Amino acid sequence: MSVLAVGTVAFDSIETPFGKAERILGGSGTYIALAARYLAAPVRLVGVVGRDFPEEHVTMLRERSIDTEGLVRDEGGETFFWAGRYHYDLNRRDTLATHLNVLATFEPEVPAAYRDSRIVCLGNLDPTVQAKVLDQMDAPELVILDTMNYWIEHTPKELRRTLGRVDVLVVNDSEARELSGEPNLVRAARVIRAMGPQTLVIKKGEHGALLFSNGAVFSAPAYPLEDLFDPTGAGDVFMGGFAGHLARTDTSDPEEWRRAVILGSALASYCVEAFGTERLLDLAAEELEQRIAAFHALSAIPAMENAARGA
Amino acid sequence: MSVLAVGTVAFDSIETPFGKAERILGGSGTYIALAARYLAAPVRLVGVVGRDFPEEHVTMLRERSIDTEGLVRDEGGETFFWAGRYHYDLNRRDTLATHLNVLATFEPEVPAAYRDSRIVCLGNLDPTVQAKVLDQMDAPELVILDTMNYWIEHTPKELRRTLGRVDVLVVNDSEARELSGEPNLVRAARVIRAMGPQTLVIKKGEHGALLFSNGAVFSAPAYPLEDLFDPTGAGDVFMGGFAGHLARTDTSDPEEWRRAVILGSALASYCVEAFGTERLLDLAAEELEQRIAAFHALSAIPAMENAARGA
């Protein structure tokens, strides 16, 4: 079933302790779509690029079963550009440059053929732009949204308005704390769910992810990666895998939500093994199976009848 | 089977955003013993107190099945005193005072009746003092050690020597990073295990715990606590519960190690619900059963056959 991925399509220049990459393909929309297409079809992309965006990137996305009808080229400017440098522990990064370019005036237009999409994935963008996408949709079963500290600080009213129209919010732990004003993540989840989203996913990087829904919490481990190479896009890939699985299942089954978190985590754990989108281009189903098995092995708690019986 | 708990027996003055407590019973040895006795017997305590330590605390420990023969009173000084203030997010704390008092000249003496203890739990202390305890033991099946940044920085040689005699190291994530010089926890585990301990447990507070042993990693979730009240002692309680379970089981079974991590986590999750040792004094077996069930529910990943099958 269908997934609509909305987000940036960008050039990224990335420095990590392990190397550098200049102007490689990136952006939240790109990563979401590249992940979702492993699980769901069709995967549709809404975004904007500039006159400098090579046609071969578009061809690459199409060859990976991504519908690019909604990827608009704005000849009046250049493609959104982001440059960042990761610290030695890869948990923190400095943004070196953000050139909005064609993104500054982006007015998303959802092609008619996309309006029936079952799942809408709104990657990190201005919340007003995210809302404009929702205005054009028929009746998606789930709207999943990502955001970031910038919008929480600079456009709080607009973000709150958009959040009221969202089913699932996917953010990292610092964003959850900032949005809710609560340092405790369990309390933060309660506050955020009262803002609109019935379900909240908190991504914690090397510490895994938490899924908060009606009355239940699911704690997913992180895959223990020794060779984390480039964290760029991991959060978007998580969202794409999560949405891709939900698009093909019965979303009223709580177990499917747990599977969606594990699939998002598994795809993200591959993404960070190489620069940019490289590792996501041609993953084999067997690779994904192996990592899912690793998640099971990692977190299995054996039966513990009578384990509390004292001395 | 027997657990020997070695550590501080202290007075703590604690400030959290929720209140203050003055000169309450604390110390790593106290917390380890109070947790272990829910699971194993006998639980034996080696430590020192000063002339100001009220006999009623000793009585309280005895009433909770803790053997206090090894708890020495040094009439020449006062009991070890620690004062700390937690920040509003409870993840960081400032130490306001550390008065070593009788701990400064503590020479641990292990009573003859303790020398056959199956499990030795060396709570956070000077690594030279920890080694002196080991010198007096017969042949414990497992030696479990905790340490902290102070010893990693100030007595690295002594710590390395003691680590070479240890089976299990239990530390928090910042300590694991500092001890190994590796920001990546998977790499850190490899470096630390090469120092001696076959098994490493990394405590991550609100993010749970990781168990590294031969060829396998276990990722345990944290219990999602909305009302975390006072984190003091949680790490020691984890260690006590972990050791207490191992003391009564077949330690060659990897599943018992996972159960030990969950029991340590469950006891620690109760500990932080009130000031100091309060919540640990009279936990019911049913409370522990309930929390174990919660850990299972929290981390269960449903079966995922064919979940990697693409679109």
Side-chain angles (χ1 to χ4, degrees):
Chain A
M1 302 275 280
S2 48
V3 175
L4 172 58
V6 184
T8 57
V9 176
F11 288 128
D12 288 344
S13 286
I14 300 163
E15 277 182 62
T16 81
F18 311 111
K20 271 183 166 196
E22 296 281 345
R23 290 179 68 78
I24 58 175
L25 176 63
S28 57
T30 306
Y31 281 106
I32 293 168
L34 278 173
R37 60 106 192 181
Y38 282 104
L39 306 167
V43 172
R44 299 151 170 173
L45 179 59
V46 161
V48 64
V49 295
R51 59 188 168 224
D52 56 344
F53 196 76
E55 195 56 31
E56 69 215 53
H57 283 335
V58 182
T59 305
M60 183 281 284
L61 293 171
R62 279 206 198 109
E63 282 171 359
R64 277 154 190 84
S65 314
I66 295 164
D67 183 335
T68 59
E69 188 195 339
L71 182 62
V72 174
R73 184 185 292 274
D74 179 346
E75 296 287 351
E78 306 213 306
T79 301
F80 174 58
F81 172 76
W82 177 82
R85 182 192 293 132
Y86 290 88
H87 293 244
Y88 90 115
D89 68 359
L90 294 171
N91 286 328
R92 287 170 307 135
R93 70 181 185 193
D94 298 323
T95 289
L96 304 176
T98 305
H99 301 154
L100 288 180
N101 296 335
V102 294
L103 199 62
T105 54
F106 178 46
E107 293 279 339
E109 256 192 74
V110 178
Y114 285 16
R115 296 190 179 171
D116 66 350
S117 297
R118 186 178 182 207
I119 309 267
V120 177
C121 250
L122 299 170
N124 172 38
L125 279 174
D126 182 332
T128 310
V129 173
Q130 292 174 319
K132 281 180 184 161
V133 171
L134 294 184
D135 293 341
Q136 299 171 62
M137 300 306 296
D138 290 345
E141 188 172 316
L142 287 180
V143 176
I144 308 176
L145 182 131
D146 187 10
T147 190
M148 69 181 292
N149 297 49
Y150 182 87
W151 309 114
I152 297 170
E153 289 156 27
H154 291 88
T155 61
K157 274 187 202 162
E158 293 80 355
L159 177 59
R160 287 295 287 274
R161 212 174 300 136
T162 302
L163 272 180
R165 304 171 67 182
V166 159
D167 302 292
V168 186
L169 178 67
V170 179
V171 285
N172 67 36
D173 45 353
S174 73
E175 291 156 356
R177 290 187 167 103
E178 187 165 355
L179 177 60
S180 64
E182 277 284 352
N184 178 294
L185 291 180
V186 185
R187 288 176 178 273
R190 179 189 300 232
V191 171
I192 290 170
R193 291 182 63 224
M195 293 177 185
Q198 282 291 296
T199 302
L200 171 68
V201 179
I202 300 181
K203 299 169 289 181
K204 305 190 295 175
E206 63 168 342
H207 302 303
L210 294 170
L211 170 74
F212 294 88
S213 51
N214 267 333
V217 186
F218 171 49
S219 174
Y223 182 78
L225 270 174
E226 202 161 338
D227 296 300
L228 201 159
F229 197 79
D230 171 18
T232 310
D236 303 312
V237 166
F238 174 92
M239 192 187 193
F242 177 78
H245 180 69
L246 290 174
R248 64 182 185 179
T249 57
D250 173 6
T251 61
S252 70
D253 178 353
E255 293 203 337
E256 298 297 2
W257 289 77
R258 293 187 175 219
R259 292 186 179 105
V261 169
I262 296 301
L263 282 159
S265 303
L267 284 162
S269 75
Y270 276 119
C271 174
V272 301
E273 286 184 354
F275 264 125
T277 59
E278 191 183 325
R279 195 70 180 87
L280 282 181
L281 299 185
D282 298 294
L283 270 179
E286 297 74 49
E287 291 180 287
L288 209 43
E289 297 277 11
Q290 278 167 22
R291 196 128 304 174
I292 292 168
F295 273 90
H296 274 108
L298 188 60
S299 65
I301 304 176
M304 292 179 68
E305 278 81 37
N306 300 320
R309 275 225 14 257
Chain B
M1 303 277 279
S2 48
V3 176
L4 172 57
V6 184
T8 56
V9 176
F11 289 128
D12 288 344
S13 285
I14 301 163
E15 276 182 62
T16 81
F18 310 111
K20 271 184 167 196
E22 295 283 343
R23 291 177 68 78
I24 57 174
L25 176 63
S28 58
T30 307
Y31 282 106
I32 292 168
L34 279 173
R37 60 106 192 180
Y38 281 105
L39 306 167
V43 173
R44 299 153 170 172
L45 179 59
V46 162
V48 64
V49 295
R51 59 186 168 227
D52 56 345
F53 195 77
E55 195 56 32
E56 69 214 54
H57 284 334
V58 181
T59 306
M60 183 280 286
L61 293 171
R62 279 205 200 111
E63 283 171 0
R64 275 153 191 84
S65 315
I66 295 164
D67 184 334
T68 58
E69 187 194 340
L71 183 61
V72 174
R73 183 185 293 274
D74 178 346
E75 296 288 351
E78 306 214 305
T79 302
F80 174 57
F81 172 75
W82 176 81
R85 183 191 293 132
Y86 290 88
H87 292 246
Y88 89 114
D89 68 359
L90 294 172
N91 286 329
R92 286 171 307 134
R93 71 180 185 193
D94 297 323
T95 289
L96 303 177
T98 306
H99 301 156
L100 288 181
N101 298 334
V102 294
L103 199 62
T105 54
F106 178 46
E107 293 279 338
E109 256 192 77
V110 178
Y114 285 15
R115 296 193 178 166
D116 66 350
S117 296
R118 187 179 182 205
I119 310 266
V120 177
C121 251
L122 299 170
N124 172 39
L125 279 173
D126 182 331
T128 310
V129 174
Q130 291 174 319
K132 281 180 185 162
V133 171
L134 294 184
D135 293 340
Q136 300 171 62
M137 300 306 297
D138 291 344
E141 188 172 316
L142 286 180
V143 176
I144 309 176
L145 182 131
D146 187 11
T147 191
M148 69 182 291
N149 297 51
Y150 182 86
W151 309 114
I152 297 171
E153 288 157 27
H154 292 88
T155 61
K157 274 189 202 159
E158 293 80 356
L159 177 59
R160 286 297 286 275
R161 212 174 300 136
T162 303
L163 271 180
R165 305 171 65 183
V166 159
D167 301 292
V168 186
L169 178 68
V170 178
V171 286
N172 68 34
D173 46 352
S174 74
E175 291 156 356
R177 290 187 166 103
E178 187 165 355
L179 177 60
S180 64
E182 278 285 350
N184 178 295
L185 291 179
V186 186
R187 288 176 179 272
R190 179 189 300 232
V191 170
I192 290 170
R193 291 182 63 223
M195 294 177 185
Q198 282 290 295
T199 303
L200 171 68
V201 179
I202 300 181
K203 300 169 290 181
K204 304 189 298 174
E206 63 168 342
H207 302 304
L210 293 171
L211 170 74
F212 294 88
S213 52
N214 266 334
V217 187
F218 172 49
S219 174
Y223 182 78
L225 270 175
E226 202 162 336
D227 295 301
L228 202 158
F229 197 80
D230 171 18
T232 309
D236 303 312
V237 166
F238 174 92
M239 192 187 192
F242 177 77
H245 181 69
L246 290 174
R248 64 180 184 180
T249 57
D250 172 7
T251 60
S252 70
D253 178 353
E255 292 202 339
E256 297 297 2
W257 289 77
R258 291 186 176 220
R259 291 187 180 104
V261 170
I262 295 302
L263 282 159
S265 305
L267 284 162
S269 74
Y270 276 118
C271 174
V272 301
E273 287 183 354
F275 264 124
T277 59
E278 189 184 327
R279 196 71 180 86
L280 282 181
L281 300 185
D282 299 294
L283 270 179
E286 298 73 47
E287 290 179 288
L288 209 43
E289 296 278 10
Q290 277 167 23
R291 195 127 306 173
I292 292 167
F295 273 90
H296 274 109
L298 188 60
S299 65
I301 304 176
M304 292 179 68
E305 278 82 37
N306 300 318
R309 276 229 9 261

